[in-house]
Amino acid sequence: MDIEELPSVCVLDASSYVGFWILKGLLSRGYTVHAAIQKYNGETGMEKKIRDLAREQERLSVFEVDVLDYHSILVALKGCSAMFCCLDCPDGYDDKMIDLEVRGAINVVEACAQTDTIEKIIFSSSLTAAIWRENICSQEDVDERSWSDQEFCRKLKLWYALAKTLSEHAAWALAMDRKLNMVSINAGLVLGPGVSQQNRLSTMSYLKGVAQMYENGVLASVDVNFLVDVHIRAFQDRSTCGRYFCFNQTVHTEEEAVKLTQSLSPLISLPQRYEYQGSEVYAERLRTKKLNKLVEGTA
């Protein structure tokens, strides 16, 4: 496909950490991008980067949206063939943010249903929407069929996991009702350039309960460039459907846990008197059969 033939696509929220990197990945592959940005108090660093980029890139247009205002999403979607939905809360997660993200997800999917040109929704979700349930450690295989237990998340105050679980559930329910073509990408902990500064609160929200994730064999991370590639492949490959776990590093040994901690410095750090023991190994439970097929089967 020539660059001229590539369709227009929308990224919302393009000013989130993952959204920004998806936007850059799409531009580098020749797509015309509608960057839909949620307006927060004052201009964020990501928003400034996008506006600066738009001055240099004629294939990039910026739209201000309010995810609670369905009509503002429709404006950003006009003429687009795909929606990359990457909702995230830059201020971190508490019990009050959950409803906002769920309503936002519903409005995005409904706006797609009302836009004739939309062929596919790529919904950015999280592994935390699949791994938080009682006795997960007794499950040998944890794959895309697994969903986090809402009451379990509430009990442990895992607000990030609950927001991702409920918003993905809501998106799937509406997408199926409206007969929309949708895939979800359930990402591990996102790592990449500047993540400790630019995605600080979301990262900390993901890490709530990290010790249990590690001991239960469901702690995994993903490099942001790999994550972007999977999102774009999921859009380009017509055969994709359903959910896709997405990570390229599992953390099930002490050495891997130390490396992860060091990569997130200064967000988290090792205890001052930490001594490496090297003996802990936890069972790996996460499975990526669908992801492997997508990555290996697409040019």
Side-chain angles (χ1 to χ4, degrees), residues 180-214:
L180 295 171
N181 183 7
M182 182 173 117
V183 295
S184 67
I185 309 297
N186 295 72
L189 177 67
V190 180
L191 302 178
V195 73
S196 297
Q197 296 78 35
Q198 296 164 13
N199 202 35
R200 189 171 65 86
L201 293 171
S202 279
T203 301
M204 292 305 289
S205 296
Y206 188 108
L207 288 169
K208 179 88 189 284
V210 66
Q212 294 101 304
M213 282 190 262
Y214 173 50

Side-chain angles (χ1 to χ4, degrees), residues 3 6 9 20-33 53 57 59-60 225 228-229 232 236:
I3 282 176
L6 290 176
V9 296
F20 176 72
W21 283 92
I22 289 174
L23 176 154
K24 284 183 71 174
L26 289 163
L27 285 173
S28 72
R29 288 163 174 80
Y31 287 93
T32 296
V33 181
L53 200 56
Q57 283 269 8
R59 284 184 289 106
L60 176 60
N225 288 304
V228 167
D229 190 48
I232 297 173
Q236 293 173 333

Side-chain angles (χ1 to χ4, degrees), residues 15 33 56 64 71 75 102 109 116 129 160 179 181 197 257 265:
S15 63
V33 181
E56 302 163 16
E64 278 186 20
H71 294 288
V75 173
V102 172
V109 175
D116 293 341
Y160 179 89
K179 297 181 172 55
N181 183 7
Q197 296 78 35
S265 177

Side-chain angles (χ1 to χ4, degrees), residues 95-109:
D95 56 339
K96 296 176 187 70
M97 296 310 304
I98 294 166
D99 184 54
L100 179 68
E101 192 151 317
V102 172
R103 286 162 66 199
I106 290 168
N107 279 343
V108 168
V109 175

Side-chain angles (χ1 to χ4, degrees), residues 120-178:
K120 201 174 216 177
I121 302 168
I122 301 85
F123 190 88
S124 198
S125 187
S126 170
L127 269 182
T128 62
I131 60 172
W132 283 110
R133 53 194 309 115
E134 209 91 56
N135 304 322
I136 192 88
C137 56
S138 64
Q139 249 180 275
E140 200 172 308
D141 297 324
V142 179
D143 60 18
E144 287 84 359
R145 292 167 295 183
S146 177
W147 283 89
S148 291
D149 183 275
Q150 296 169 26
E151 290 313 311
F152 187 68
C153 290
R154 283 193 182 91
K155 189 170 78 175
L156 296 185
K157 294 183 167 55
L158 298 164
W159 306 129
Y160 179 89
L162 186 58
K164 297 304 175 188
T165 304
L166 292 175
S167 60
E168 190 191 342
H169 255 305
W172 274 117
L174 188 56
M176 288 191 281
D177 183 65
R178 297 287 190 273

